[in-house]
Amino acid sequence: MAQNVSGNAQNVITMKIEGEIAYLALNRPEKRNAINNDVLEALPEMLAQADRREVRAIILYGEGAVFSAGIDFTSLSSDTGAQSGSGGGPDLTRFRRFVHNSQSSLDALERIEKPVIGALHGYAGGLGLELALACDARIAATGTKMGMPEVRLGLVPDVGGTTRLTRTVGYAMAKELIMTARMIDADEAARIGLVNRVVAQGTQIAAAEELAREIARNAPLAVGLAKRIIDIGHNVDKGTFMDIEALAQSSLFQTEDFREGAAAIAQRRYPKFKGR
């Protein structure tokens, strides 16, 4: 049974919970789900509401014609301090605070110890693609266009874009995509590892659900810690990475879910994990 949970006052992100899956929807279809301060503030709040034991996976998608057109330029000046400050130039301190707050908002997708699957369609560019990159997996509908066009504006991807894109597709490909500002289609994105799989138009949410349910069959504490181990350990040395593994494993070794998993194997049955 679906459980609907309201977003912030503007409902720029809505959430519903159906069984073990929470669905978060960017809900500005009239603006092509362009991201403004309201969206950035609502995202961590909605993730906090989804962070409950019965939820085993989160699907993030966009209402309307596209996943997200990127930053909302109509609110860029007021939100970022790009308007002239008292000295006649832009308020750079305010701008840096906006960037930091935006980074923190997307970081919430990585901090939550639940898998987050982005279901992309239509278009995911700039900040919209940065949002998708903060998810653990990405499913793209055929025909989806995605890329980082910031250098066409004289800027660079600054909300984790250069960082996460490089970690996802590698140095050479990240440089090419960012420096050319090229938009690529879903098939090319899958070839370079930017998305996990490409599906028929209109089926991206159903495909994300299939992946979410496959993950949800496993022990949720182990899934959550596996996610955090990979995110934290990605750029550390091998020894530190393995120490993180050992620390996480020692924690999981004491859980009820581990005892249930071991018993289920011995008894040749499916385990019933409780997330504790």
Side-chain angles (χ1 to χ4, degrees), residues 23 59-67 117-122 138-142 144 197-212:
Y23 298 79
I59 294 174
L60 177 65
Y61 68 98
E63 298 285 7
V66 304
F67 176 73
I117 302 166
L120 316 183
H121 74 293
R138 286 158 293 282
I139 307 293
T142 186
T144 304
R197 66 192 67 167
V198 180
V199 298
Q201 290 187 20
T203 68
Q204 67 276 1
I205 296 177
E209 289 172 346
E210 182 180 355
L211 178 57

Side-chain angles (χ1 to χ4, degrees), residues 110-121:
E110 291 183 342
R111 288 193 301 269
I112 190 168
E113 292 184 15
K114 297 182 186 295
V116 182
I117 302 166
L120 316 183
H121 74 293

Side-chain angles (χ1 to χ4, degrees), residues 69-82:
I71 195 165
D72 186 346
F73 286 99
T74 62
S75 64
L76 182 63
S77 294
S78 59
D79 287 349
T80 67

Side-chain angles (χ1 to χ4, degrees), residues 150-179:
E150 282 85 349
V151 296
R152 289 181 184 167
L153 303 173
L155 299 171
V156 296
D158 61 352
V159 189
T162 52
T163 305
R164 292 190 178 99
L165 186 62
T166 301
R167 291 183 174 189
T168 303
V169 303
Y171 283 89
M173 187 55 68
K175 287 179 180 178
E176 180 177 335
L177 290 176
I178 290 171
M179 292 191 291

Side-chain angles (χ1 to χ4, degrees), residues 27-266:
N27 190 38
R28 303 185 75 213
E30 74 287 355
K31 297 290 186 179
R32 292 171 57 84
N33 294 320
I35 299 170
N36 61 7
N37 248 352
D38 288 337
V39 175
L40 292 167
E41 290 173 1
L43 181 61
E45 296 174 3
M46 301 307 291
L47 288 169
Q49 292 188 44
D51 194 6
R52 53 185 75 181
R53 182 172 290 174
E54 64 268 26
V55 171
R56 300 291 177 88
I58 298 168
I59 294 174
L60 177 65
Y61 68 98
E63 298 285 7
V66 304
F67 176 73
S68 174
I71 195 165
D72 186 346
F73 286 99
T74 62
S75 64
L76 182 63
S77 294
S78 59
D79 287 349
T80 67
Q83 295 174 328
S84 295
S86 58
D91 186 340
L92 297 182
T93 300
R94 183 177 174 190
F95 179 80
R96 284 189 290 270
R97 183 167 62 247
F98 170 81
V99 172
H100 175 74
N101 290 340
S102 301
Q103 292 170 342
S104 296
S105 177
L106 269 59
D107 285 349
L109 288 162
E110 291 183 342
R111 288 193 301 269
I112 190 168
E113 292 184 15
K114 297 182 186 295
V116 182
I117 302 166
L120 316 183
H121 74 293
Y123 184 92
L127 185 52
L129 182 54
E130 290 179 306
L131 176 63
L133 280 166
C135 297
D136 301 300
R138 286 158 293 282
I139 307 293
T142 186
T144 304
K145 297 293 184 181
M146 57 197 83
M148 298 284 189
E150 282 85 349
V151 296
R152 289 181 184 167
L153 303 173
L155 299 171
V156 296
D158 61 352
V159 189
T162 52
T163 305
R164 292 190 178 99
L165 186 62
T166 301
R167 291 183 174 189
T168 303
V169 303
Y171 283 89
M173 187 55 68
K175 287 179 180 178
E176 180 177 335
L177 290 176
I178 290 171
M179 292 191 291
T180 62
R182 182 188 307 139
M183 302 300 293
I184 63 174
D185 63 20
D187 289 334
E188 176 69 4
R191 186 186 70 79
I192 65 174
L194 180 54
V195 301
N196 296 69
R197 66 192 67 167
V198 180
V199 298
Q201 290 187 20
T203 68
Q204 67 276 1
I205 296 177
E209 289 172 346
E210 182 180 355
L211 178 57
R213 292 195 176 97
E214 183 178 359
I215 294 171
R217 290 197 293 268
N218 299 309
L221 295 178
V223 168
L225 280 182
K227 166 181 173 170
R228 297 297 292 141
I229 290 168
I230 295 168
D231 285 343
I232 294 169
H234 184 76
N235 270 351
V236 303
D237 63 275
K238 176 186 174 184
T240 302
F241 205 160
M242 295 181 75
D243 282 344
I244 295 170
E245 288 180 340
L247 288 169
Q249 193 78 310
S250 66
S251 175
L252 292 169
F253 190 74
Q254 305 175 65
T255 63
E256 183 178 324
D257 277 355
F258 168 65
R259 293 192 293 274
E260 166 62 12
I265 290 175

